Amino acid sequence: MKNTYGYIRVSTKDQNEDRQLAAMNNLGIEPQNIFTDKQSGKDFERVQYKRLTQVLKKGDILYIKSIDRLGRNYEEILVQWGILTKQKYIDIVVIDMPLLDTRRGKDLRGNFISDLVLQILSFAAENERVNIKQRQAEGIAAARARGVRLGRPRKPLPDNFAVIYGRWKAGEITGTAAAHKCGMPLATFRYRADIYSREQQCLHQETMKNR
């Protein structure tokens, strides 16, 4: 007996899978037959995808909303497609791309068209992933060049930091004692002291310029 399954993937836990889920519901797929991963598509090391492949058997039908929901790695998409269709003998239907429906065109011509479209779409999915990473890297580099501070904002220094820093710098107290008085670990105190020192130097240089 043939069973129908659906596979849904979003890249992070914060992303919404409602659009994909609605498409599966419209097809009448039973909720227990819908497998959802909230994980990057860079590879196929996904818990729900692995569970899905374990229950799929010959003649079953697998629906996915679009090819990039299956994955974003060009070579691995092609490998997984081959495993599912040529080893497990299931049919795959890509909802947003009617040409990618292995139930149609079982002859040589049909298989050729399906494989060709799959390769083009798989390449496009990975190419977009690469472009996104490149744009992110370029954006970070540009932000740093403008002096934008990235990451979580630093906690404000305690009110007594300047005084304690001065005593530590003068050798009146040890770093351990200074860190304790500021209520922070020694490594954190040294790190913040280094930043504070550089900021004070910049402030001094700016003051001298304006005189």
Side-chain angles (χ1 to χ4, degrees), residues 74-93:
Y74 171 62
E75 293 182 355
E76 290 198 16
I77 290 175
L78 297 179
V79 170
Q80 288 298 316
W81 188 278
I83 291 173
L84 295 173
T85 60
K86 295 179 173 62
Q87 294 183 22
K88 287 185 171 292
Y89 299 102
I90 71 161
D91 279 311
I92 304 177
V93 180

Side-chain angles (χ1 to χ4, degrees), residues 32-137:
Q32 67 270 20
N33 286 355
I34 299 175
F35 293 76
T36 302
D37 275 313
K38 295 190 175 185
Q39 192 173 337
S40 168
K42 64 181 180 179
D43 57 42
F44 285 85
E45 294 300 314
R46 311 175 211 143
V47 174
Q48 293 302 312
Y49 180 78
K50 288 183 175 181
R51 284 189 58 211
L52 170 65
T53 57
Q54 289 172 358
V55 301
L56 286 170
K57 62 183 184 298
K58 185 176 180 179
D60 288 343
I61 303 173
L62 172 63
Y63 284 89
I64 55 174
K65 186 73 171 66
S66 58
I67 194 64
D68 62 343
R69 296 307 88 201
L70 183 62
R72 286 188 176 274
N73 184 300
Y74 171 62
E75 293 182 355
E76 290 198 16
I77 290 175
L78 297 179
V79 170
Q80 288 298 316
W81 188 278
I83 291 173
L84 295 173
T85 60
K86 295 179 173 62
Q87 294 183 22
K88 287 185 171 292
Y89 299 102
I90 71 161
D91 279 311
I92 304 177
V93 180
V94 180
I95 300 170
D96 288 350
M97 180 56 63
L99 283 174
L100 282 178
D101 183 344
T102 60
R103 298 171 303 178
R104 304 175 181 176
K106 293 290 187 179
D107 57 6
L108 183 61
R109 182 181 178 184
N111 288 334
F112 172 76
I113 293 174
S114 180
D115 288 347
L116 181 61
V117 173
L118 172 64
Q119 290 194 42
I120 293 172
L121 292 179
S122 299
F123 174 78
E126 182 179 14
N127 192 54
E128 177 61 15
R129 179 177 66 87
V130 172
N131 287 339
I132 289 173
K133 291 182 68 175
Q134 182 176 346
R135 289 195 294 268
Q136 288 175 338

Side-chain angles (χ1 to χ4, degrees), residues 154-158 161 165 168 175 178-180 182-196:
R154 293 197 300 264
K155 290 182 180 180
L157 292 171
F161 187 86
Y165 168 83
W168 170 71
H180 178 72
C182 290
M184 57 180 65
L186 176 59
T188 302
F189 173 79
R190 292 186 182 278
Y191 172 71
R192 299 300 297 271
D194 181 60
I195 295 175
Y196 180 80

Side-chain angles (χ1 to χ4, degrees), residues 139-187:
I140 291 172
R144 285 176 173 165
R146 296 194 306 270
V148 176
R149 192 186 306 278
L150 302 174
R152 292 183 300 176
R154 293 197 300 264
K155 290 182 180 180
L157 292 171
D159 294 337
N160 65 342
F161 187 86
V163 174
I164 300 301
Y165 168 83
R167 293 182 61 192
W168 170 71
K169 197 71 174 175
E172 296 177 9
I173 57 176
T174 65
T176 301
H180 178 72
K181 291 179 181 295
C182 290
M184 57 180 65
L186 176 59

